[in-house]
Amino acid sequence: MNISIIKSLAIVGFATVLTSFTTTDVVKNENLISKEASASKTYKIRYGLLTKSGTKVLSGNYDVGSFVATNTTTGETFDTYYGGGFQSLPAYSEGLPEGTYEFYAMQGQGGWLGYGSVTSTVSDAQVDTDGYVTIYIPIAWEE
């Protein structure tokens, strides 16, 4: 009999907690989250390559393992995580906060291309008409 009393009290307690939240509490929490999100604006990055002759490339398949952006102030790294082999261009990354980054590409599985890096600022001023900050990673060498 004691067990059934404990179970009943637990159910009543759970129901009390569950019904204590109001719609207003949920709206307040959603507003707080949206204020925090707007305070930390993020950007969409579009990656391309810059050939040794200086041509900007935003299409085709290349031996790229991954594209990486490292914040020069915080050291935080953002990676496209495509891993290995050939990738189609353009490649995309979302969620980079405003700041200055070193951008580079990791060599793919074939090892036919080597990449340099470029340092660039990500901000409203760099957003193009398509809504992206476009970064061209230089090809340093190729076989």
Side-chain angles (χ1 to χ4, degrees):
M1 186 184 239
N2 287 338
I3 293 176
S4 63
I5 293 172
I6 292 172
K7 285 182 182 179
S8 297
L9 289 174
I11 291 172
V12 170
F14 179 73
T16 303
V17 170
L18 191 61
T19 59
S20 68
F21 293 105
T22 64
T23 306
T24 306
D25 293 332
V26 173
V27 171
K28 285 180 185 176
N29 287 337
E30 286 177 0
N31 288 339
L32 178 63
I33 291 168
S34 68
K35 284 181 185 176
E36 289 174 0
S38 65
S40 59
K41 184 174 183 179
T42 61
Y43 295 87
K44 297 184 293 186
I45 307 298
R46 175 174 42 202
Y47 289 100
L49 295 175
L50 183 65
T51 66
K52 290 176 63 175
S53 64
T55 303
K56 293 178 177 179
V57 179
L58 277 176
S59 64
N61 293 318
Y62 289 85
D63 188 22
V64 176
S66 180
F67 289 96
V68 181
T70 301
N71 186 299
T72 59
T73 303
T74 66
E76 187 173 12
T77 299
F78 298 85
D79 193 325
T80 58
Y81 292 112
Y82 292 134
F86 289 92
Q87 289 192 42
S88 296
L89 296 180
Y92 298 96
S93 179
E94 293 190 23
L96 261 72
E98 187 170 11
T100 301
Y101 292 85
E102 179 183 13
F103 295 94
Y104 60 95
M106 294 174 66
Q107 192 176 45
Q109 290 179 359
W112 296 294
L113 295 172
Y115 303 97
S117 66
V118 62
T119 300
S120 184
T121 300
V122 173
S123 69
D124 287 340
Q126 283 70 38
V127 176
D128 61 22
T129 56
D130 293 336
Y132 294 97
V133 174
T134 303
I135 302 295
Y136 293 95
I137 306 298
I139 296 174
W141 58 267
E142 55 190 315
E143 287 184 21

